[in-house]
Amino acid sequence: MRKKLVWVGALSCLVVGGAVWFLTADSHATPVQKTPQGANTPASANAIWTQQPLAPSSTVQPLRFTTWEEYEVRSKYGRLPGSLTGINVNWNIAANADGKLVLSADLAALFEFFLSTHTEEGLATSLGRIEEYLRGLLPDTAATEALDILQAYLEYKKGLTRYATPKDRVFTGDPKTDLITTIADVKNALTQRIQARRAYLGTEVADVLFKDDEAYDLYTIRRLEIDANASLSSVDKEALLTQAEQQLPTATRTQIQQERKTAALNQRIEALRAQGGHEETIHNLRTELYGAQEANRLAVVDSEQAAWMLRLQKFREAKDSVLRQTALTAEAKAWSIKEIERASFNPEERMEVEILESVRAQNAKSGPQG
C-alpha cells in the first residue's frame, strides 16, 4: 500500500506540472547528433509562469540551419545553456503546401525545450529563442500561427496552480481510504486541467498537443482505482484493465500490454525458481512471449548472473572468515580482504562489489525494518 501511495504522489506531481513530457539525456553515452527536425521527443513541463510573458517581436530575421551547431552559430542568443547539452531532440514541425502550420504535439515539446532554460537565461531569452527558431524553421504564416499558440499556451500555464490537488487535505490515517481520496483528488485536478487546455487553446490544438498524454494519465488513474477496489476479484480487475487499455493510443496500448505480459511472466518465473529448477519450462515460456533468439539471450544472462552471484557469495564467505579472525589487527583484516577482492574480480567488477558491500554494511547496521 505504501508503494501505491508513492505512485499516486508522483502522479499528483505530474498533474501539478502540466503535460507529461520528459527530457532524455545520457551523460555516459557518445554525444548524439542533434537535428532540429524529426520524430517526437518529450520535454519537461514543470514551470509555472507567474509573470506576463513578453510578446515576441515581429522583426526577428529568419535563421537558416539544419543542425543545432548551425543554429548556435547563427542565433543572436549564442550557444544553448549547459542543461540542454547532449539532449537528442527530433521534432516533426512543418507547414503544409499553403504555408500554414501543421499541428503536431511536437510543438509543445519545442516550447518546453526552450522554456526549460528560463531560470538560466531568463524568460525573455527563452521566448526569443522560440520565435527565432520557429521563424527560421517555418514560413512566415506558419511561424506566426505557432507563436499565437505559444501565447495561449503560456496563458494556460500561468494558471496551472489553480488545477492542483488540494494542499489542505485532511487524511484519515487509513491507507486504503486515503489512497482512494488521493486518487479522486488527482482525477479531479486532471479533469480541470483538461478543460482548461481547451478553454485556452481551443479543442483542436489542445487535442493535438495533449490528447495522447491525457489518455495515458486517465488510464493510470483508472488503473489505480481498479487496483484499490478491494471488492473486485483478480479476474474482474484484469477485465477492467483490459477495457481501460482500449482507450489508449495504439502504440501506447501495445507497449502497456507487452509490459503487463512481461510482468506476469517474471512473476511466474520467480515462482518456478522458488520451487527449484524448471529452467526448461522458463525457457519455453520466454520463447512463447519473446521468441527463440531473445529467450536464448536471457538464458545466457541468467547463467552469467548465477555465476556472478556464486563468485560474490564465495568472496563474502572468505571476507567474513577474515573478519572473524580475532588474532588479526583491523589493518591486517582490511589488507587481506582487499587481496581476496583483487584475486576474485577485475577492476570494473571491484567497483560494483564495493558498492554492494557498502549497501550490505548499511543494511546490517540498520537491522530488520518493521
Side-chain angles (χ1 to χ4, degrees):
M1 185 58 64
R2 180 181 176 185
K3 181 178 180 181
K4 294 174 187 173
L5 285 171
V6 171
W7 188 9
V8 174
L11 183 58
S12 300
C13 293
L14 293 179
V15 171
V16 170
V20 185
W21 296 308
F22 299 90
L23 290 171
T24 55
D26 186 351
S27 59
H28 303 291
T30 303
V32 296
Q33 180 179 359
K34 302 176 186 174
T35 55
Q37 290 179 290
N40 268 345
T41 293
S44 174
N46 58 2
I48 304 298
W49 305 104
T50 56
Q51 67 181 85
Q52 179 71 27
L54 302 178
S57 167
S58 60
T59 61
V60 174
Q61 294 299 313
L63 298 177
R64 295 291 176 246
F65 57 89
T66 57
T67 67
W68 277 120
E69 286 72 18
E70 288 183 23
Y71 164 80
E72 290 180 325
V73 168
R74 301 181 186 188
S75 170
K76 74 175 185 179
Y77 302 103
R79 292 181 61 83
L80 290 165
S83 63
L84 299 183
T85 301
I87 295 173
N88 184 21
V89 294
N90 220 353
W91 299 315
N92 181 21
I93 298 172
N96 63 20
D98 296 326
K100 293 185 177 296
L101 179 69
V102 177
L103 284 175
S104 164
D106 289 346
L107 188 62
L110 182 151
F111 294 162
E112 290 298 340
F113 179 83
F114 288 110
L115 290 174
S116 68
T117 69
H118 77 283
T119 56
E120 297 172 82
E121 298 190 300
L123 183 57
T125 297
S126 296
L127 294 172
R129 282 192 184 274
I130 294 173
E131 181 178 10
E132 183 184 61
Y133 187 97
L134 288 170
R135 291 200 183 281
L137 185 69
L138 299 168
D140 188 60
T141 298
T144 299
E145 289 175 332
L147 291 168
D148 286 343
I149 292 173
L150 171 63
Q151 290 290 11
Y153 184 84
L154 290 170
E155 287 298 317
Y156 155 71
K157 292 201 72 170
K158 281 168 60 179
L160 283 181
T161 52
R162 288 178 293 178
Y163 316 116
T165 54
K167 294 182 179 179
D168 57 352
R169 169 69 66 203
V170 177
F171 290 103
T172 65
D174 176 66
K176 292 182 179 179
T177 302
D178 291 343
L179 175 60
I180 293 171
T181 300
T182 304
I183 293 171
D185 285 343
V186 173
K187 185 175 182 179
N188 182 60
L190 181 58
T191 299
Q192 292 181 47
R193 189 170 297 258
I194 289 170
Q195 293 170 349
R197 287 166 180 165
R198 281 144 190 82
Y200 281 98
L201 295 162
T203 300
E204 182 183 9
V205 173
D207 277 353
V208 172
L209 265 57
F210 296 106
K211 194 171 184 179
D212 284 357
D213 290 327
E214 290 169 352
Y216 182 78
D217 288 347
L218 290 170
Y219 163 78
T220 301
I221 292 171
R222 181 59 179 146
R223 188 164 77 173
L224 285 166
E225 289 176 330
I226 293 168
D227 194 42
N229 191 336
S231 67
L232 295 173
S233 68
S234 58
V235 175
D236 290 337
K237 289 182 177 183
E238 185 69 22
L240 289 171
L241 279 173
T242 301
Q243 181 181 351
E245 287 168 1
Q246 299 310 307
Q247 307 304 313
L248 290 167
T250 302
T252 306
R253 181 171 66 250
T254 300
Q255 179 182 346
I256 285 176
Q257 289 174 342
Q258 182 66 25
E259 289 172 354
R260 288 180 60 205
K261 289 178 181 178
T262 299
L265 174 61
N266 289 338
Q267 287 182 349
R268 190 169 178 186
I269 288 174
E270 287 181 13
L272 287 169
R273 288 199 167 132
Q275 297 168 11
H278 299 284
E279 292 305 317
E280 183 178 352
T281 302
I282 290 170
H283 188 274
N284 291 338
L285 288 170
R286 283 172 168 171
T287 301
E288 182 179 342
L289 182 59
Y290 302 123
Q293 183 175 353
E294 179 65 7
N296 290 336
R297 187 191 70 80
L298 290 170
V300 172
V301 171
D302 285 347
S303 178
E304 291 174 347
Q305 179 67 11
W308 162 258
M309 292 305 297
L310 180 61
R311 290 167 58 207
L312 181 62
Q313 182 61 32
K314 287 183 176 179
F315 163 74
R316 285 176 169 174
E317 289 172 356
K319 175 182 175 180
D320 292 343
S321 176
V322 170
L323 292 173
R324 286 194 297 268
Q325 294 183 31
T326 56
L328 295 177
T329 64
E331 291 78 7
K333 288 179 181 180
W335 181 87
S336 296
I337 291 169
K338 278 294 180 185
E339 287 301 305
I340 296 169
E341 189 179 286
R342 289 191 187 96
S344 303
F345 306 104
N346 63 38
E348 184 177 340
E349 290 172 337
R350 287 200 292 272
M351 291 180 64
E352 183 176 356
V353 168
E354 287 171 8
I355 293 171
L356 290 172
E357 292 304 279
S358 175
V359 172
R360 182 188 182 210
Q362 289 297 322
N363 289 339
K365 287 179 182 179
S366 60
Q369 300 298 310

